[in-house]
Amino acid sequence: MILSPAERAYLYESLVQKPAIRPGARSDHQFRPLEAKTGFLPNSNGSARIRLNDGSECIISVKSKVVVTRGESSLIEVDIDVPGFRDDSNFVSNLKFSLTNLLITKFPVEYLRLTSKYSFKLFIDCIVISHSSYPLSLISLTSYLALKTTRLPLLTSEVNDEEIEEQPTFSDDWDNAKYIHPTFQPPIFITLGVIGENLLFDPSIEEEQVLENGLILSFYKDKVITPIINMNLATNSNNSNFKGLNQKLIIQSINLCNKYCPAIIKALDTLIEQDDENDDTDNHIF
Amino acid sequence: MDRRRLLGPLNTVIPNIGISSEINGSKSTPQTGISSSSSSNKNDIENFFLKTGIIENANGSAYLEVGNNVIEVSVFGPRPIRGSFIDRASFSVECKFLPYISQPGDELFNTNNQFNNSNSNTNANGRTGLTTIEHKISSYVETALLPSIILEKYPKSTFDVFVTIVATETPTYNSNEKLMRLTNWIVNCASVALVDANVEVKDIVTSGIVKSNKSGDIIIDPRGQIEDEQNEQDEQDDQNEENVLGVASFMNLNNDQLVGIWVEGGDIDQDLVTKVINGCNDMSKKIRANINSFLIDSLQ
Amino acid sequence: MTTELKQVSFPPEVLARIVPEVSLQRHLSIGLRPNLRNFLEFKPIEIASHANNITTTNDNVFGSSIVKSGNSTIVTTVTLGVVENTNSSTSTFNNNNNNNNNNNNNLTNDQFTSIYPVIDIQRGRSGAPSDEEMILSQNLYETILHSRLISKAALKINHCGLAIKETDINSDKDNIQIFYPDIHPQVFVNLPSSSSTLKKSYSFVIFCHVKVFSKISTIFDLCYSSIIDALHDLKLPRVYITDFSSTKISVKSRNSNTRGLVGVSKSSLNIDLNNELYYPLELSSEGGISCNFGAIKTVKNKQEDEDITMENEEVVELLADLEGEAEESTILSRISIIVDGNEKIKRLSLINGDINSEISLDILQRAIDVAKLRSRND
């Protein structure tokens, strides 16, 4: 139990106000401040880390492998590791299902195509070093940064290998490596808390304890996409406020995400740019 | 090595399920997937068979057959908990496929499990935990049913719902549709099982599934074949422009409170989501009417 | 001062929960069991052979059975594994097979094999199998092994096929053809890897998954009949080997000169889904019927017409097919018998768990007689 009954009641009352009074004076649609770093793992094609001010931290590494396209059921494989949870626990499995499902269905796999026969396969490994609130949006934002900065070696052999049996060969100069696609913006997840008539972006752990429901929306190419699901975000507690939600709130949440999420994507892109500029001077992450 | 189960000699391999050597090369499995759907109207809901109280050693149970899906739900509880005091009951759902059933989306989602049915050399009978797909269904059902149960009435106790999937559709459907259809019916079946267990609930949760086609129309209770008949000629476009699939669960209480939503598939906008929710609500109401009359009948 | 304690009386169903032994004795003294059956009456069993479509709707299931008794339902499914035979064992059972085809008596125990059952009882708990499930699985394994039901020869894969892939360049589709040494002898001999295929020999391994719903009494008998039924239903498929030439792709790496390999396909065993080639498993003997009995000492009220006094006589009674909490917790002397259609006893287990209700030779004889009678009726 994180909050006492009195604290719960107080927090609940402040959050159902119109507009909601959130701890830390955040507005409804404001994310918690985060600190990010990309491209710090020398052995990975792409890597990213996000730290939140409450100590949550997630590191993602993206590695690639050349595969025969026809032999693979999917070109993306996701693995998530959360300390304190077994890999086959419901918590980890659901995070994995969500992220795998989003990337498999929405990731433009044509970007990974090398030749008519071969493709890159991406292995996305996530480690949630610590987390307090439900970590899906944290993982998803980190995966955005990692995928966005993933660089794949430059193919030097022919693209067309239908006629001749040719194996892909790559340039051995890492400076020639290319990003997955110059304008590519990976899909992300947004967590929304439902309380009264309010929708709160990126609820913190204390807020999760009193929420009436939770929504997870996905966002890609400047609009809300599927999957859209609802869930009890306070996984470890016995949330007594949890109840059904008004259908109108779903529509409202889509509108809100369409309105505010482009700013989040923009902020993440800016982070990457800044990180690139600092790259030469400061190459350590701690 | 598993010492608690008899899983055969160590060097046993599980052969792949290959192809048929029949001359015409077509699969010999009879197409039992086509049930009542071919004759039924577009917006009809498939007939289902429901029975309660079949499991004697559970507090409540329900059995549901729809199409080729066979679902059994047992409710155990209220059971006392060990450990510290809690003022309201805890509630859990565990959903399991019988080991020989190939799970929808198996090859995509169950990749890291050591007991992956599709191409591993392990006996599926030795599977211990749940697969990613089973976890996904479990948590949807748990989320949808949680708001309906009056947990305050049962301090220091726990409710455990065990779902067994005895049979599923033949794999003529796309895997997402199969998975969501199954989830939809599990919610309906589990609500009835909760009632059978005499658990105090605010309302019965019922659920509906819809699919949108390219023109944005909603098909209630899609059964795969309907869409195939319509879009047979432009099947290839279909792959790119995916249909939107939605499952939503409702309580009648408080203006059709939405307790569970899961939307997958292609492009969406506000209008389409509204249509999806309304379509699911229509279907859930029809199922609710059925279940209500079933429950009233069973009292008499 | 002493306060007088009021006598408390319980309704029968409460009594059955708190003192099952008293409740059971009271029932038996009026010649009735708590489940309202006669002492030697069995609970009816329904076997839905071939009435289920598990086998037809699941490609990986080759035999199945659903058995019901009251509300207890047992779903048994048979899946297959393949094991490579070591050379020595192959030759021995080939010889034996030729010499005494129809004479099982000359075969030794190691010519027989068993199934690998996993029992899963729905009991509202998740996690590792319970003791009961493990003991039951082991018991079934051993029973089937020693009843000499499945000979190793019957599980041997005699004609292992070979699949040849032809890639159609125009459509980019693989055309796979399967050849068997007995069906296509001409083609098969000319295949490049036919000799290596013929050299190796394989056998099936039978896995059984037994799901038990609504377990209320001992279920060994039900599981046994369910497995036997599933084995009768079992049809073994053909197996073929894919031995496609492996593709090696070298990937240059800056740091080392070793070449990585990508997409190497190994030869693998596959099941041919052509159900015209399926063949039923040959069972070496009949499965038989499994019965269980319990013995309990009861006090009989003998009422004689002329005499007004009641004479109490203690008798050890034999009860068939135990059911319910009262019987299961109170009756500790048990007999389990499997008898086949020829009245041959395949298995007999006797536990004298209760010193007061010892199983005498006479009782054992009665139990065997009943079991034989039952196997005949069925």
Side-chain angles (χ1 to χ4, degrees), chain B residues 4-5 7-8 11 13 16 18-22 27-29 32 56-57 72 74 76 79 94 99-100 123, chain C residues 56 59-60 71 77 82-83 122 124-126 128-129 134 207 209 213-214 240 269-274 276:
Chain B
R4 305 188 211 217
R5 299 174 184 83
L7 300 175
N11 56 343
V13 287
N16 301 326
I19 53 160
S20 170
S21 64
E22 268 174 306
K27 247 186 71 184
S28 54
T29 322
T32 37
E56 266 179 51
N57 56 353
E72 182 274 330
S74 309
F76 294 85
R79 294 198 283 204
E94 188 182 299
Y100 55 87
N123 184 348
Chain C
T56 46
D59 285 342
N60 53 345
N71 264 330
T77 45
V82 172
V83 68
Q122 172 91 313
R125 297 252 180 273
S126 49
M134 286 189 272
F207 303 126
H209 183 266
F213 292 106
S214 192
Y240 66 90
L269 283 161
N270 301 276
I271 281 173
D272 184 348
L273 288 180
N274 183 358
E276 280 166 31

Side-chain angles (χ1 to χ4, degrees), chain C residues 18-36:
Chain C
I18 48 181
V19 268
E21 62 279 8
V22 174
S23 165
L24 178 66
Q25 287 297 352
R26 288 195 187 168
H27 274 97
L28 295 180
S29 65
I30 55 167
L32 208 60
R33 289 166 61 181
N35 50 33
L36 304 182

